[in-house]
Amino acid sequence: MRTLIEGSGLPADVYSAKCPTRQVLDRIAGKWTVLIVDALADGTMRYTDLQRRIEGVSQKMLTQTLRELETDGFLTRTVHPTVPPRVEYALTDLGRSLRTPIAALRDWIETNINEIEAARRAAAI
């Protein structure tokens, strides 16, 4: 049985452009989301640690993605009243529920990268 969306009574359907599940798919399928959730899988991290761990992410994109993930309930942001302020991020139960599918995706990519690269080289010829 499909999940009904509270308040509308309509079934959840990611193939429907009007369904809020599409927004969630867009959020969790983004490369920065995948990398942030995977990086936080082992526990709480400070902003600077995340920035160092995820090479290539700009300060703007990291901040924006962290805010979106916090808004959607995937992580918590804790500000410690120190000088300078220390900010830590941790996955919520909802965020931790993404660890298994994201780890499976990462493992699949790392396992199959040589085959993918070979296909790309063949297509470029």
Side-chain angles (χ1 to χ4, degrees), residues 73-120:
F74 292 109
L75 58 80
T76 59
R77 177 180 184 266
T78 303
V79 179
H80 298 277
T82 59
V83 178
R86 186 177 50 136
V87 180
E88 294 179 330
Y89 295 89
L91 295 176
T92 61
D93 289 342
L94 184 61
R96 282 189 291 279
S97 73
L98 278 175
R99 290 186 310 185
T100 299
I102 286 178
L105 180 61
R106 175 185 25 85
D107 291 345
W108 183 89
I109 291 167
E110 290 175 351
T111 298
N112 291 286
I113 189 60
N114 291 328
E115 188 174 342
I116 294 164
E117 288 293 304
R120 289 176 175 174

Side-chain angles (χ1 to χ4, degrees), residues 2-13 18-21:
R2 290 176 108 176
T3 300
L4 297 180
I5 299 171
E6 289 184 24
S8 73
L10 296 173
D13 180 6
K18 295 178 184 177
C19 185
T21 57

